[in-house]
Amino acid sequence: MRAARVPEPGADFEVVDVETPEPAAGEVRVAVDACGICHSDAFVKEGAYPGIDYPRVPGHEVAGRVDAVGDDVTAWSEGDRVGVGWHGGHCFECDACRRGDFQQCEDAQITGIAYDGGYAEYMTAPAEALAAVPADLDAVDAAPLLCAGVTTFNALRNTDARPGDLVAVQGVGGLGHLGIQYARAAGFETVALSRSPDKEELAYELGADHFVNAAEADAAEALRELGGADVVLATAPSAPAIESVVDGLGTDGRVVVVGVPGEEVSVNAQSLVGVRGGVDGWASGNARDSQDTLEFSDLREITPEVETFALDEVHAAYDRMIENEARFRVVLEP
């Protein structure tokens, strides 16, 4: 098979012919139809995650079909449409797993980091890491939903926000353009916050009820004028942007961070005390969460905006993502 792999930390991708993997017991082999390129793939490209064995094939936004099943696999059959996201398997034995909280497994595997991912024609994954893909959801659309989609969808549905509550999405980019759609579909009064005024029209097309140009207006003040945000979904990885919205929370409001900045976020504790507010973090979800995301997206016709590339174009595709030039997700089609 053909695969795009990183031979060593910091090296360029190499597209090579390698032996097609065989699924071990408890694993399935997936024929990859589409694989999104995520900013977290830089962990592999630059060697920024501990314990990675090289060469390594990145990719944790994988949509495809079951091509073969290993021994002891009963939940999946050849031909099933499946997806594999960031959560690449769990141990079933640690305290978190015994409580059913597989996302917090102490020995969780990460697709494309613990084992080879989807920048290839085929990959293998533990059976518990798979999510079913709806029959009429295109693979190219499904792939980014297995990371950017589940991250925003799962973060929002795990807040206390209810239909009619004021929910702001900070950033209209790879995560934010999906967050706006999910917030709208969930029945929230949806605010798009962006420092790019040229995204105003798009924000309204995606379902926003309000748009705040944070480059010219005080985002927190704008949220207070709307009654105070019950939730601000912070999707842009910028500490100043996150700090700027804390004063816009309403009573019991939460800033939920899903876009992780490279620097510390400073928060005015008095602002939080005054509204009983908080700043929380959320990280994607397990395979069942991914499947919920795919099914809801299919039900409400929520899709990402994508740019597609062939596997041989992986260098250009990755650069497009890392330089923040893509609008909004980059997808390989092996």
Side-chain angles (χ1 to χ4, degrees), residues 236-262:
S238 164
I242 295 170
E243 294 164 359
S244 73
V245 299
V246 173
D247 285 346
L249 294 176
T251 301
D252 296 322
R254 290 290 185 273
V255 175
V256 181
V257 179
V258 293
V260 182

Side-chain angles (χ1 to χ4, degrees), residues 6 34 59 104 110 118 121 129 154 159-160 187-188 195 203 225 250 295 331:
V6 181
Q104 297 303 116
I110 300 174
E121 294 177 328
N154 215 22
T159 68
D160 292 329
F188 303 140
R195 295 185 60 84
E225 290 175 354
E295 291 171 350
V331 177

Side-chain angles (χ1 to χ4, degrees), residues 36-100:
I37 295 181
C38 176
H39 200 280
S40 297
D41 294 340
F43 288 140
V44 180
K45 183 71 165 58
E46 304 304 329
Y49 202 94
I52 299 177
D53 292 329
Y54 290 87
R56 175 62 77 223
V57 178
H60 59 269
E61 298 181 353
V62 186
R65 294 154 285 114
V66 175
D67 179 71
V69 297
D71 293 340
D72 304 324
V73 175
T74 58
W76 306 101
S77 302
E78 291 184 22
D80 288 346
R81 299 190 72 217
V82 295
V84 189
W86 175 265
H87 185 87
H90 43 269
C91 72
F92 293 99
E93 297 178 355
C94 69
D95 283 346
C97 284
R98 292 182 65 196
R99 296 179 187 278

Side-chain angles (χ1 to χ4, degrees), residues 253-271:
R254 290 290 185 273
V255 175
V256 181
V257 179
V258 293
V260 182
E263 62 273 20
E264 292 185 358
V265 176
S266 298
V267 176
N268 184 333
Q270 182 60 50
S271 295

Side-chain angles (χ1 to χ4, degrees), residues 24-288:
E27 293 183 343
V28 303
R29 183 169 66 209
V30 177
V32 180
D33 293 321
C35 182
I37 295 181
C38 176
H39 200 280
S40 297
D41 294 340
F43 288 140
V44 180
K45 183 71 165 58
E46 304 304 329
Y49 202 94
I52 299 177
D53 292 329
Y54 290 87
R56 175 62 77 223
V57 178
H60 59 269
E61 298 181 353
V62 186
R65 294 154 285 114
V66 175
D67 179 71
V69 297
D71 293 340
D72 304 324
V73 175
T74 58
W76 306 101
S77 302
E78 291 184 22
D80 288 346
R81 299 190 72 217
V82 295
V84 189
W86 175 265
H87 185 87
H90 43 269
C91 72
F92 293 99
E93 297 178 355
C94 69
D95 283 346
C97 284
R98 292 182 65 196
R99 296 179 187 278
D101 191 1
F102 301 126
Q103 184 178 349
Q104 297 303 116
C105 173
E106 296 171 12
D107 299 303
Q109 298 188 86
I110 300 174
T111 309
I113 290 181
Y115 54 85
D116 285 341
Y119 287 24
E121 294 177 328
Y122 296 89
M123 65 168 288
T124 57
E128 74 271 12
L130 270 60
V133 176
D136 56 351
L137 184 60
D138 187 82
V140 168
D141 290 332
L145 300 179
L146 290 153
C147 184
V150 65
T151 297
T152 50
F153 173 77
N154 215 22
L156 285 172
R157 72 170 179 168
N158 280 282
T159 68
D160 292 329
R162 296 293 180 264
D165 285 352
L166 189 72
V167 171
V169 178
Q170 174 257 324
V172 185
L175 291 168
H177 87 289
L178 288 167
I180 292 169
Q181 294 181 74
Y182 290 129
R184 172 72 174 195
F188 303 140
E189 183 179 355
T190 304
V191 185
L193 307 173
S194 176
R195 295 185 60 84
S196 301
D198 62 323
K199 293 182 178 178
E200 180 174 2
E201 182 178 352
L202 172 64
Y204 285 122
E205 290 175 357
L206 294 171
D209 299 295
H210 312 278
F211 179 86
V212 175
N213 177 2
E216 296 183 356
D218 185 309
E221 182 179 344
L223 292 175
R224 290 196 302 270
E225 290 175 354
L226 290 168
D230 295 283
V231 172
V232 179
L233 185 68
T235 72
S238 164
I242 295 170
E243 294 164 359
S244 73
V245 299
V246 173
D247 285 346
L249 294 176
T251 301
D252 296 322
R254 290 290 185 273
V255 175
V256 181
V257 179
V258 293
V260 182
E263 62 273 20
E264 292 185 358
V265 176
S266 298
V267 176
N268 184 333
Q270 182 60 50
S271 295
L272 296 180
V273 169
V275 296
R276 298 195 306 242
V279 178
D280 303 332
W282 192 267
S284 64
N286 59 40
R288 182 64 246 191

